Amino acid sequence: MAHQAGGQRPAPRPVPDTRATQAYLQDYAALLESLACPSLVVDHRWDVVMANGAFETLFRGVRRHATAMPGDNFLRFVLFHPDAADVLGEHEPDWCLPMLAHLRTALETYGHDQELQAIRRDIAQDPLMEAAYRQGLPHWIRAVGESATRLDGAVRLLLHPDPRRGPTECRIVEETPEALRDLGYRRLSLVLRENRRSTTPVRRPRRSRSTASHLTIVPSPES
């Protein structure tokens, strides 16, 4: 499902203009860096405001991409980077569909946001992604329930580049202090769990643009 997105990155996000806020963010970045688990702070567009070294280590093997690097916009990375499935296990059901649901919610709240609109246009330009958004997402939510779209508390599979870890489950924990929430930010941490999988899960083959325009886990409209 991951593919290359077109378009250009938006202008750099504005930095809060008060010294107190900037000082708080600098200190919060130091706190984030002290955490052993991959952690990031994002805004309503999923632009990454800050991320720690463990987050950078997790995605250190992904290739350069003009618009979908994990440290730039995490939503774009999940949906558009061709290497996303190499790090985010069970990529379609556990990462892509929940993130499409978050995009839909963000568009309902921030409908005029130019970056969110740009992501929506990039989806519309690809038949596979457009079918996933319009048909696959509603079908999936009906099948699994709205609760599956929530990230906080969800257990997801990571394919960690550290060979001592390999396929490792993580629990996504959202923990946002009031000062960050007032800025429109939130923090997500991927808390790595002890490896409980006895075998390496089979990865789904990456699909080409020539394949049918629906998710592998979602029946086509004709079926």
Side-chain angles (χ1 to χ4, degrees):
M1 181 175 172
H3 67 285
Q4 188 167 357
Q8 300 295 319
R9 288 281 299 154
R13 65 186 72 89
V15 177
D17 56 3
T18 68
R19 289 185 178 181
T21 300
Q22 292 184 15
Y24 176 84
L25 291 177
Q26 290 172 357
D27 292 341
Y28 197 85
L31 171 65
L32 206 68
E33 189 58 37
S34 71
L35 300 177
C37 57
S39 299
L40 70 163
V41 173
V42 298
D43 64 12
H44 69 278
R45 303 166 175 165
W46 289 86
D47 279 343
V48 177
V49 177
M50 62 182 78
N52 65 3
F55 179 87
E56 295 174 358
T57 296
L58 179 62
F59 297 101
R60 67 189 177 194
V62 303
R63 292 168 289 178
R64 291 297 307 171
H65 191 286
T67 62
M69 293 302 291
D72 291 338
N73 183 291
F74 194 68
L75 174 60
R76 278 189 173 276
F77 172 75
V78 172
L79 297 182
F80 300 132
H81 199 296
D83 295 344
D86 294 337
V87 182
L88 306 177
E90 299 173 355
H91 180 238
E92 288 181 3
D94 283 359
W95 296 94
C96 286
L97 286 167
M99 293 301 280
L100 284 174
H102 280 268
L103 172 63
R104 186 187 65 176
T105 300
L107 284 168
E108 291 172 355
T109 307
Y110 307 100
H112 299 293
D113 186 279
Q114 292 183 359
E115 170 62 4
L116 293 174
Q117 289 291 344
I119 294 172
R120 181 65 185 92
R121 286 194 299 272
D122 285 344
I123 289 173
Q125 288 172 5
D126 185 277
L128 174 61
M129 295 293 289
E130 182 68 4
Y133 189 82
R134 288 185 175 273
Q135 292 139 22
L137 180 61
H139 176 96
W140 176 73
I141 291 175
R142 287 194 300 270
V144 301
E146 287 281 352
S147 61
T149 67
R150 291 196 293 267
L151 293 180
D152 184 38
V155 175
R156 297 289 184 257
L157 178 65
L158 297 175
L159 306 176
H160 203 284
D162 186 340
R164 294 171 297 180
R165 287 194 174 275
T168 302
E169 287 182 335
C170 75
R171 185 178 297 279
I172 302 174
V173 176
E174 181 175 341
E175 191 174 44
T176 307
E178 184 177 355
L180 283 187
R181 191 160 47 247
D182 289 345
L183 293 168
Y185 300 158
R186 56 179 172 152
R187 187 188 103 194
L188 298 168
S189 296
L190 310 179
V191 182
L192 303 181
R193 310 174 82 197
E194 292 299 322
N195 198 331
R196 301 175 184 178
R197 294 175 179 247
S198 58
T199 59
T200 301
V202 177
R203 297 188 196 178
R204 299 179 185 210
R206 188 172 297 154
R207 301 169 53 142
S208 67
R209 288 173 178 257
S210 61
T211 56
S213 59
H214 62 276
L215 291 175
T216 56
I217 64 167
V218 177
S220 65
E222 293 80 9
S223 60

